[in-house]
């Protein structure tokens, strides 16, 4: 009997997660005895994700690897899953410590926070006003990155002034409105930082529409395939992201190792993630996969064909 | 009564002016003609949708499926555009209208032929149409990347200094104005709302008129589908999720009576504009976005209270001396 | 216009020419009810045919078939000897059939002109509605009807009820219909408006229209009709020229027995004051209303429609808020804030608009009857069905209700039978004072007698009754005293001894004697 | 006096209980429920498992609790679209109380009282000012959730006491959850209230003809107010359950629940126009919706595709009796 590993995502249809699924399938093939169940709600809410997890528990899957819509709300149901003998890990967007055996960060939180500011600062030698357009106000990972960014600002980028943080809820219409509001309220705005693949596209489109290319730089985390256009037209100088394929691959690899090889997830443990390398768990049982990777005019063409 | 109706719209217009005034005390540039033009443009889609919803509400029905229709039609044209960028935009718009019409006609047929209350029918199709979008697209999004420059650029092109999107809204407003005040269909729509039984006795085919009304809101949904997708340059299953309530809220603020028969094109447009201004203004006057929801909620409640005040019947006056006084 | 008609002489119509409209073998059933069975009817140009029958005989159903609202199960309709199919109200118009229906059915929020022309408005060359021509035409139609005082631009809801009826007639005229049907057009009108309506009917006769006139009032029928057709239980049981038939003959056909409607004789045993009202006022509807009602008394309230009688009664029963005045019941001042309060205190109001205020369509008969008495039929909030059934049975059977079971939806009853339910439900609360607003509006002669008999019984048991009525014979026949209201004020109070109709009409209309 | 012949006897009811039971709405729902249950058991080997069946109930218990009160409200001719927003606001208030160190009993009390308060607010607007409820509650829906957003912003409340977890996660006996028990108790209570008390009778009367009901001595305003309060109360209770089940509060909690609750009520045969409906129907509809979503979930069908099934089910189940009547009528 094959090992059933469920890859639960925040919402279906998102190109980022579809890419992660590719990686998951790749890992499954490599591991041989694994069936992947790629699932998630269509609307990115915790309640909907709980129903999905409940049905996975009923199907007696061997492992659940989840990118959570809410760090806390999913804890009870994931605990129940663990009680029924299911291996639970979180990846990408984490779950509080009690609700999973380990969490795989796509990258180091502090590093991401620093990177998104650096992406803006690199093109603002004189400094200036920047604003953040985030996803939903409840998104765990975005909030962690923004906190990290705020922390490094005073020491490393004293000339950069963060004037506002707004939320587009990963909804393109809302993100568009918020981006427009930013441009109106802060006429001196030099950059919009959107650490979310939906928000960054919306912001870049707004900057293009308002003919502010060259005046306002859009940056943040973006999928090259979705974002190439805005690097090409100059609305954005550079964005960053990690490789979602690797992320999906690693998540499945870890879940498999915990479920089948009965590896133990404990602080300090070092676990293998196949072709991607090795990770070491910190004292919250979290690990970071790889540093974020930067895309600009020089390489976007190539990567837009991959993910 | 005619004068009274105008009265109501004048009130709403006054409220809007006051609102703009208040905002410009905190953010002077808001009242610039250029900015107001942009607010109009930003609100165009909501205005168009509110007009489509208005004709439905006037007949004592409701269309909860408009946002889902928008989502589905938008996805169809986005996918078509992605697959065949050569299809000219006018043809795509016609396709969007046609798809919207079909979805509207399904609602209309169920309401007309099976006599199911419209709120039930459209509560059902609300989820069905959105689900169908998922099935159609396999859940995948269509991104800016896959859309042709014309697809995105059409509504942004300026004509006489005003974007095409705004022109489309103006055209739709004009069409609805003629429809509601100058055509037999428009008058039948009012009559049905005022008194459905009397309408039957008057020879109006109530069922068929409701069918037509749903077709209209369907077409509007289709049009808004294209406009929405090309404006926000992403087509996904979540497009305009929950937006049906904004559309209804715009109608309500515009003084369209949910009990049917009362309301006007001007009201719907102003109602949409009111909501548009609020959502436009909040970010610029530095009110935390978290206040936005509570503020628009309060605005809706206030508008209903005021409208109800206006609608409240004076009662017929029997006493001479009161009449004289 | 022929002035002789105004004096109530019936002209011999054009000698039984060919009928304009003929119905033959029409049958129509509703689930569980055979409303019409193989009925026939002919309407002749320039003649008024009266359609007569008990409540539920099928009159309104026939009207709806003739106007395309219902489709008959079988039978044929021909107009000018041509068989026609009336699929919809629109098709009926096309064949020149128009109706003023039993319930006033027009559009309150639309203008008078639009009410007249909705569905056949004049168009511009572009095909859009020509508002200017429409207003002009509306004014013309109203003028030809001597109703020029009605403003074509006014909203219908701002008109008085009589004027609304005139608008309904104007609509019928504007369609240039050859066949005009009027289903109880006088039920909501008082003397003055009825006279105006009769003038109009005469006018229509002159124009050669074929008219069907439905009414339960024999004086009207004898006044205006040329021919009659009688229905009983959905079948046609007689027809002929009205001048050849006596009233008792027609009534016998109608109910299958003889009914001689004489108002019940009562020994006036009027006791102590029961209810006294003084200074009762309302900002817009009435002012300084005062009267006294005694135990065992029937107090009539007369006035023209719109005089404000109903509003006063609704204020006494807590439905309308007052701006001043006191109500005293058995020496205790009461201030009911809702119908519930007044019912508890022992005053019940039987409203006049049965469809809107009286019956709860959608609920079965027994639940309608028990609704105001739920406190008595239930026990600490829990329902007791047996109590409800027995309560409903005792009152409906006394009123000779025609229904197949007590669990039948009241919506399936005819108008008159619904009225019986309305009366039954408030009687069942065992009140001290009962206010009946137009209690016999739209009910047939047999049931009318039953209601009157019942009222007599009630006062004999020591109840006090207020009867609001616009029917003079009823007022004169039943009341001990009569309060006349005019424009929101009490115009006079008369003792009903040797009181004559003329005094009442003059007082109500404000014409000095 | 006129001779009135002996009164005709009118029977209580025309006896067709068997026929009417067979063609009743509830019977249709029972058939649908059994069919779906059977299909589920065939389609997935995991379905017929006590733990699965127990988990299944969580898909509808909270919404179902609100649906009972909503059913009464809709029967009376009103509607409440703000129920999900009430959940969010009540949950937020509970979260604030937790921060202030409140214990479980206080939390439950706060959830219920806030729900009741929101319901009363809706009720006042509708009955006192005579506003249409659909519009009022579209407004309060934004207002209530908006307040939750103002308070919480991008934060979350957590740290609910251990004992608080029982309401949404606890089991009374074996696999029978506390939520399920509460749902069944509420079903019985509401059944009595609607079908066996004079209050329920008045609710039906109001839904069919509010004016006539008022003239008949029914205190229409008061009853509607009570119904809004009940709906708020049930939303408050649901809020306690959901908050306990999630163990945390976000302002976006329970988003979109209002339409699911209304779908449940309508599927249960309650007339959206008011005046008709039954609690048994609502219970069956709750089970059906739970069965459909859970069954399809076992097959890993995405939620949005399930919603197609729910939408179709809604329209088909409502259309069936109409089509059936028409077919019978024409033959
Ligand atoms: N829509 C309907 N559904 C079921 N039964 C109906 C319907 N309409 C009328 N009926 C029944 O048909 C019969 C005839 O009703 P109709 O309204 O034609 O009587 P009517 O002669 O106009 O009485 P009234 O003098 O009281 O107005 C009655 O028994 C009535 O209950
Ligand atoms: N302007 C109007 N518009 C609509 N309906 C009216 C109007 N005037 C009168 N009516 C209706 O006509 C009927 C009688 O009117 P109203 O109640 O004012 O008369 P009344 O003198 O109080 O009593 P009643 O005619 O009942 O004996 C009622 O059904 C009322 O609703
Ligand atoms: Mg009739
Ligand atoms: Mg009256």
């Amino acid at each position: 009997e094959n090992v059933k590993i469920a890859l639960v995502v925040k919402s279906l249809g998102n190109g980022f997660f579809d890419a992660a699924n590719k990686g998951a399938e790749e890992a499954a093939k490599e591991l041989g005895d694994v069936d992947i169940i790629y699932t998630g709600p269509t609307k990115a809410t915790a309640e909907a994700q709980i129903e999905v997890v409940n049905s996975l528990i009923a199907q007696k899957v061997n492992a659940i690897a989840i990118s959570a819509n809410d760090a806390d709300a999913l804890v009870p149901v994931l605990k129940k899953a663990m009680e029924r003998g299911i291996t639970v890990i979180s990846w990408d967007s984490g779950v509080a410590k009690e609700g999973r055996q380990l969490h795989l960060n796509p990258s180091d939180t502090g590093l991401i926070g620093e990177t998104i500011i650096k992406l803006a600062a690199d093109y603002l030698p004189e400094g200036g006003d920047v604003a953040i357009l985030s996803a939903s106000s409840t998104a765990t990972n975005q909030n962690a990155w923004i906190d990290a960014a705020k922390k490094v600002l005073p020491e490393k980028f004293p000339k950069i002034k963060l004037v506002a943080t707004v939320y587009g809820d990963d909804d393109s219409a809302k993100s568009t409105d918020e981006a427009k509001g930013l441009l109106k309220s802060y006429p001196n705005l030099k950059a919009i930082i959107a650490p979310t693949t939906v928000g960054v596209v919306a912001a870049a489109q707004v900057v293009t529409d308002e003919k502010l290319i060259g005046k306002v730089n859009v940056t943040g985390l973006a999928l090259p395939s979705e974002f190439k256009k805005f690097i090409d037209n100059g609305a954005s100088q550079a964005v960053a992201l990690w490789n979602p394929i690797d992320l999906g691959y690693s998540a499945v690899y870890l879940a498999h190792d915990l479920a089948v090889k009965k590896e133990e997830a404990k602080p300090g443990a070092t676990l293998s993630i196949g072709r991607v390398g090795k990770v070491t768990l910190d004292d919250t049982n979290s690990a970071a996969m790889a540093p974020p990777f930067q895309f600009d005019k020089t390489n976007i063409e190539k990567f837009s064909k991959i993910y | 009564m005619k004068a009274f109706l105008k009265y109501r719209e004048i009130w709403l217009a006054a409220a809007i002016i006051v609102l703009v005034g208040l905002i410009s005390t905190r953010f002077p540039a808001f009242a610039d003609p250029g900015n107001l033009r942009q607010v109009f443009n930003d609100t165009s889609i909501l205005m168009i949708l509110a007009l489509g919803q208005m004709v439905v509400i006037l007949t004592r029905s409701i269309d909860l499926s408009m946002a889902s229709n928008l989502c589905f039609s938008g996805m169809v044209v986005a996918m078509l555009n992605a697959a065949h960028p050569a299809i000219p935009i006018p043809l795509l718009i016609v396709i969007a209208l046609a798809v919207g019409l079909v979805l509207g006609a399904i609602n209309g047929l169920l309401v007309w032929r099976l006599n199911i209350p419209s709120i039930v029918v459209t509560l059902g199709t609300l989820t069905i149409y959105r689900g169908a979008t998922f099935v159609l697209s396999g859940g995948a999004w269509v991104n800016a990347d896959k859309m042709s420059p014309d697809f995105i650029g059409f509504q942004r092109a300026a004509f006489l200094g005003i974007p095409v999107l705004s022109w489309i809204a103006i055209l739709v407003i004009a069409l609805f104005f003629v429809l509601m005040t100058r055509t037999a269909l428009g008058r039948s729509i009012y009559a049905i709302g005022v008194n459905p039984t009397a309408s039957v006795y008057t020879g109006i085919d109530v069922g068929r008129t409701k069918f037509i009304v749903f077709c209209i809101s369907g077409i509007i949904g289709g049009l808004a589908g294209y406009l929405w997708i090309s404006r926000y340059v992403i087509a996904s299953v979540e497009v305009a999720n929950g937006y049906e309530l904004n559309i209804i809220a715009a109608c309500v603020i515009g003084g369209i009576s949910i009990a049917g028969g009362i309301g006007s094109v001007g009201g719907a447009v102003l109602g949409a504009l009111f909501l548009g201004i609020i959502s436009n203004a909040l970010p610029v006057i530095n009110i935390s976005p978290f206040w936005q929801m509570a503020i628009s909620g309060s605005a809706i409640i206030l508008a209903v209270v005021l409208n109800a005040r206006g609608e409240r019947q004076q009662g017929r006056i029997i006493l001479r001396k009161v009449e004289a006084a | 216009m022929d002035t002789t008609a105004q004096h109530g002489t019936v002209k011999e119509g054009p000698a039984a020419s060919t009928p304009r409209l003929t119905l033959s073998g029409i049958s129509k059933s509703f689930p569980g009810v055979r409303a019409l069975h193989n009925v026939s009817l002919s309407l002749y140009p320039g003649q008024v045919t009266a359609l007569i029958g008990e409540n539920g005989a099928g009159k309104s159903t026939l009207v709806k078939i003739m106007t395309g609202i219902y489709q008959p199960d079988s039978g044929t309709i021909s107009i000018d000897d041509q068989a026609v199919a009336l699929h919809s109200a629109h098709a009926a118009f096309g064949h020149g059939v128009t109706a003023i229906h039993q319930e006033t059915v027009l559009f309150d929020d639309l203008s008078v002109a639009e009410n007249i022309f909705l569905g056949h408005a004049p168009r511009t060359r572009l095909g859009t509605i020509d508002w200017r021509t429409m207003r002009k035409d509306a004014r013309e139609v109203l003028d030809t009807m001597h109703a020029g005082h009605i403003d074509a631009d006014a909203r219908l809801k701002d008109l008085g009820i009589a004027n609304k009826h005139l608008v309904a007639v104007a609509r019928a005229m504007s369609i240039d219909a050859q066949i005009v049907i009027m289903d109880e057009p006088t039920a909501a009108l008082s003397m003055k408006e009825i006279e105006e309506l009769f003038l109009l009917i005469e006018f229509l006769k002159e124009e050669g229209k074929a008219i069907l006139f439905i009414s339960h009032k024999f004086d009207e029928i004898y006044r205006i009709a040329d021919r009659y057709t009688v229905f009983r239980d959905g079948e046609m049981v007689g027809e002929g020229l009205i001048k050849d038939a006596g009233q008792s003959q027609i009534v016998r056909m109608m109910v299958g027995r003889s009914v001689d409607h004489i108002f019940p004789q009562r020994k006036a045993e009027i006791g102590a004051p029961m209810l006294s009202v003084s200074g009762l006022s309302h900002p817009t509807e009435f002012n300084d209303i005062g009267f006294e009602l005694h135990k065992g008394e029937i107090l009539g309230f007369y006035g023209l429609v719109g005089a404000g009688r109903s509003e006063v009664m609704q204020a006494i029963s807590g439905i309308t808020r007052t701006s001043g005045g006191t109500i005293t019941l058995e020496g205790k001042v009461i201030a009911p804030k809702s119908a519930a309060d007044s019912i508890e205190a022992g005053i019940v109001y039987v409203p006049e608009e049965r469809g809107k205020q009286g019956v709860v369509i959608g609920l079965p008969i027994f639940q309608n009857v028990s609704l105001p008495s739920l406190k008595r039929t239930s026990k600490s909030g829990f329902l007791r069905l047996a109590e409800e059934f027995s309560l409903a049975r005792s009152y409906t059977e006394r009123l000779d209700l025609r229904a197949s079971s007590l669990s039948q939806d009241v919506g399936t009853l005819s108008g008159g039978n619904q009225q019986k339910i309305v009366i039954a439900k408030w009687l069942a609360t065992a009140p001290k004072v009962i206010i009946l607003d137009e209690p016999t509006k739209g009910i047939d002669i047999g049931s009318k007698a039953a209601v009157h008999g019942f009222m007599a019984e009630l006062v004999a048991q020591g109840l006090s009754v207020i009867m609001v009525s616009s029917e003079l014979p009823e007022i004169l026949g039943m009341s001990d005293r009569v309060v006349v209201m005019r424009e929101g004020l009490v115009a006079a109070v008369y003792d009903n001894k040797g009181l004559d109709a003329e005094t009442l009409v003059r007082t109500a209309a404000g014409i000095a004697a | 006096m006129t001779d009135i012949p002996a009164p005709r006897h009118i029977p209580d009811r025309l006896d067709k209980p068997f026929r009417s039971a067979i063609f009743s709405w509830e019977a249709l729902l029972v058939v649908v429920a059994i069919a779906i249950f059977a299909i589920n058991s065939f389609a997935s080997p995991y379905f017929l498992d006590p733990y699965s069946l127990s988990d299944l109930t969580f898909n509808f218990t909270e919404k179902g609790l609100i649906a009972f009160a909503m059913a009464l409200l809709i029967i009376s001719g009103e509607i409440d679209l703000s129920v999900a927003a009430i959940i969010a606001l009540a949950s937020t208030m509970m979260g604030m109380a937790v921060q202030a160190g409140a214990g479980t009993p206080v939390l439950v009390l706060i959830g219920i009282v806030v729900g009741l308060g929101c319901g009363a607010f809706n009720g006042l607007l509708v009955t006192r000012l005579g506003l249409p409820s659909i519009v009022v509650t579209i407004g309060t829906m934004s207002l209530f959730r908006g307040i939750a957003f103002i308070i919480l912003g991008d934060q979350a409340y957590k740290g609910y006491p251990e004992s608080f977890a029982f309401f949404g996660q606890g089991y009374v006996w074996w696999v029978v959850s506390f939520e399920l028990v509460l749902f069944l108790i509420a079903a019985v209570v509401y059944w009595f209230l609607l079908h066996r008390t004079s209050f329920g009778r008045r609710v039906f009367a109001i839904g069919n003809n509010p004016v006539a009901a008022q003239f008949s001595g029914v205190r229409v305003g008061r009853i509607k107010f009570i119904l809004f309060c009940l709906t708020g109360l049930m939303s408050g209770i649901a809020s306690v359950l959901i908050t306990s089940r999630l163990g945390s509060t976000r302002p976006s909690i329970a988003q979109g629940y209002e339409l699911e609750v209304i779908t449940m009520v309508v599927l249960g045969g309650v007339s959206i126009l008011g005046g008709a409906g039954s609690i048994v129907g609502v219970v069956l509809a709750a089970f059906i919706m739970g069965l459909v979503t859970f069954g399809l979930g076992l097959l890993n069908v995405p939620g949005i595709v399930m919603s197609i099934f729910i939408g179709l089910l809604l329209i088909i189940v409502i259309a069936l009796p109409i089509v059936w009547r028409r077919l019978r009528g024409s033959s």
Side-chain angles (χ1 to χ4, degrees), chain A residues 127-147:
Chain A
D129 291 355
V130 304
I132 292 179
L133 168 65
S134 182
S136 91
S137 57
T138 63
T140 331
N141 42 356
Q142 263 90 2
N143 287 341
W145 301 330
I146 294 169
D147 281 346

Side-chain angles (χ1 to χ4, degrees), chain D residues 1-330:
Chain D
M1 227 185 104
T2 330
D3 62 314
I4 297 172
R8 295 187 191 183
H9 177 82
I10 308 171
D12 283 354
R13 40 173 86 82
L14 299 175
D15 262 334
K16 280 187 272 178
F18 180 67
R19 254 182 82 93
S20 58
I22 285 213
F23 289 106
S24 73
W25 188 273
E26 288 81 358
L28 179 63
L29 290 181
V30 168
V31 171
V32 171
I34 291 174
I36 296 175
F37 196 90
I39 294 170
N40 278 348
S41 340
F42 276 112
S44 171
Y46 307 110
F47 180 74
L48 283 178
D49 171 304
Y51 290 95
S52 293
L53 293 176
S54 162
D55 286 350
L56 177 161
T57 62
F58 284 96
N59 283 11
F60 65 79
T61 41
E62 292 145 2
K63 291 166 207 160
L65 281 169
I66 304 174
F68 294 138
M70 184 76 87
L72 266 64
L73 194 60
I74 292 182
I75 290 173
S76 83
E78 302 290 343
I79 199 163
D80 186 351
L81 293 173
S82 72
V83 288
I86 296 178
I87 293 178
L89 185 56
S91 182
T92 305
M93 296 297 172
M94 287 188 273
M96 283 175 86
V98 165
Q99 308 303 302
T104 300
V106 180
L107 289 180
V108 174
L109 194 70
I110 287 177
I112 290 174
V113 169
V114 171
L116 202 58
C118 292
F121 183 69
N122 284 332
L124 278 181
L125 284 174
V126 171
T127 59
R128 276 293 140 114
L129 300 180
L131 305 175
S133 56
I134 184 163
V135 180
V136 165
T137 55
I138 285 179
T140 54
M141 161 178 168
S142 297
L143 180 63
F144 295 153
R145 198 180 284 278
I147 296 174
F149 266 107
I150 292 174
I151 295 172
L152 264 171
D154 54 359
Q155 301 303 304
Y157 285 133
K158 43 195 166 184
Y160 286 92
E162 283 288 306
S163 55
F164 186 69
F166 175 75
F167 303 104
Q169 302 173 34
Y171 292 83
V172 172
W173 173 73
W174 192 39
V175 296
V176 180
S177 69
F178 175 75
E179 288 202 2
L180 182 62
V181 171
L182 200 60
F183 173 84
L184 294 175
I185 292 173
V188 173
V189 169
Y190 274 89
W191 183 83
F192 262 99
L193 186 64
L194 181 62
H195 300 292
R196 283 292 175 271
T197 68
S198 51
F199 180 85
R201 173 67 59 71
R202 292 189 175 110
V203 170
F204 278 111
I206 292 172
N208 280 301
N209 186 344
V211 177
Q214 188 207 346
F215 275 65
S216 307
V218 176
R219 296 177 201 274
V220 176
R222 184 184 299 180
I223 289 182
K224 284 189 174 172
F225 179 75
I226 294 174
L227 291 179
F228 275 103
C229 290
L230 274 183
T231 310
L233 174 79
M234 297 311 281
S235 308
I237 293 175
S239 180
V240 171
L241 300 181
I242 295 176
T243 308
S244 155
R245 187 158 63 89
L246 302 185
S248 70
T249 298
R250 302 263 190 206
S252 60
I253 194 168
Q255 202 132 39
Y257 271 30
E258 59 278 335
L259 291 184
E260 287 184 49
V261 169
I262 292 169
T263 305
M264 202 178 269
V265 171
V266 173
L267 187 61
V270 172
S271 161
I272 198 84
L273 307 173
S278 80
I279 292 297
V280 176
V282 176
V283 172
L284 287 168
F287 272 103
I288 287 177
M289 284 178 68
L291 283 171
V292 170
T293 52
F294 197 77
L296 292 172
L298 285 181
L299 305 176
N300 296 311
V301 173
I304 191 139
V305 178
M306 295 179 198
S307 69
I308 299 187
F309 283 88
I310 299 284
L312 283 176
L313 200 63
L314 180 70
I315 292 180
I316 291 172
V317 170
I318 302 253
L320 259 183
I322 299 171
V323 174
W324 168 255
R325 231 176 294 138
R326 201 155 298 169
L327 286 180
R328 251 194 347 170
S330 66

Side-chain angles (χ1 to χ4, degrees), chain C residues 35-307:
Chain C
L36 292 171
H37 180 64
N38 197 21
V39 299
S40 306
L41 176 76
S42 297
L43 300 181
Y44 297 88
Q47 293 197 15
V48 176
T49 305
L51 182 55
I52 306 167
E54 281 184 296
N55 298 130
K59 304 180 295 293
S60 299
T61 306
L62 191 74
V63 171
K64 288 178 184 159
I65 286 174
M66 290 164 73
T67 50
I69 292 158
Y70 291 162
Q71 300 305 313
D73 299 338
S74 63
T76 56
I77 305 170
S78 44
I79 294 176
D80 292 330
D81 281 338
Q82 292 268 302
V84 293
L86 306 175
H87 300 297
S88 66
H90 203 74
F93 286 167
H95 289 101
V97 183
T98 185
I100 302 165
H101 288 273
Q102 187 166 8
E103 322 289 338
T104 328
V105 282
L106 284 172
F107 305 94
D108 266 341
D109 269 303
L110 302 186
S111 71
V112 167
E114 225 185 323
N115 266 289
I116 296 175
F117 282 105
L118 194 73
H120 57 281
R123 305 290 179 90
T124 64
R125 253 172 307 162
L126 291 173
T128 58
I129 289 176
D130 185 347
W131 283 89
R132 192 178 310 175
T133 313
M134 185 162 104
R135 286 198 203 99
K136 191 175 95 284
D137 291 355
R139 273 193 292 272
E140 269 169 27
V141 176
L142 289 169
D143 277 340
T144 48
M145 292 171 38
H146 305 287
H149 59 279
I150 300 177
D151 176 7
D153 289 331
R155 297 259 137 193
L156 193 76
K157 70 170 162 215
D158 298 330
L159 298 187
I161 185 73
N163 284 340
K164 283 185 181 175
H165 269 264
L166 289 178
V167 173
V169 178
R171 177 176 172 78
M173 304 264 301
S174 76
I175 288 169
D176 192 26
Q178 290 310 305
I179 296 150
V180 180
I181 301 164
M182 301 186 181
D183 193 353
E184 298 196 41
T186 59
L189 300 184
S190 57
M191 293 281 288
K192 187 164 137 266
E193 290 97 19
I194 293 176
E195 285 305 321
E196 279 174 17
L197 183 72
F198 283 174
L199 282 181
L200 248 154
I201 295 178
E202 293 294 345
F203 175 70
L204 293 176
K205 274 171 74 168
E206 295 292 314
E207 302 257 290
K209 318 265 185 204
I211 299 164
L212 182 68
F213 182 83
I214 300 176
S215 176
H216 290 294
K217 301 181 192 167
F218 279 91
D219 51 337
E220 293 175 356
I221 291 168
Y222 276 91
R223 166 80 193 279
I224 203 76
D226 303 297
R227 320 179 132 263
Y228 68 89
T229 298
V230 181
F231 279 11
R232 184 170 74 223
D233 291 339
E235 297 186 36
M236 199 207 71
V237 291
E239 63 178 336
L241 290 179
I242 206 98
K243 64 180 164 63
D244 301 338
Q247 177 170 339
S248 55
Q249 186 190 343
I250 293 181
V251 171
R252 197 161 326 116
M253 281 188 229
M254 206 176 120
V255 294
R257 63 190 156 90
S258 67
V259 176
D260 201 8
H261 185 211
I262 303 166
F263 288 102
Q265 286 298 316
R266 303 187 285 114
K267 263 222 333 265
E269 259 183 54
I270 296 178
M274 188 72 173
L275 174 78
S276 67
V277 172
S278 72
L280 203 65
S281 299
H282 184 276
T284 58
E285 306 288 315
F286 52 83
N287 196 24
D288 195 24
I289 303 292
F291 63 87
E292 203 153 78
L293 174 69
H294 296 260
K295 205 167 153 79
E297 184 184 33
I298 297 181
L299 182 63
F301 261 73
Y302 184 71
L304 301 183
V305 169

Side-chain angles (χ1 to χ4, degrees), chain B residues 316 318, chain C residues 108 156-162 164 188 190 285 301-312 314 349 352-353 356-357 437-438 441 468-470 485:
Chain B
R316 60 207 160 94
I318 294 180
Chain C
D108 266 341
L156 193 76
K157 70 170 162 215
D158 298 330
L159 298 187
I161 185 73
K164 283 185 181 175
S190 57
E285 306 288 315
F301 261 73
Y302 184 71
L304 301 183
V305 169
R309 294 164 294 170
S310 302
E311 279 70 22
V312 169
Q314 287 171 15
Y349 171 71
E352 62 170 328
E353 289 189 51
K356 217 157 121 196
Q357 305 164 339
D437 198 347
E438 307 282 6
K441 179 167 153 183
V468 177
S469 172
S470 305
M485 278 188 67

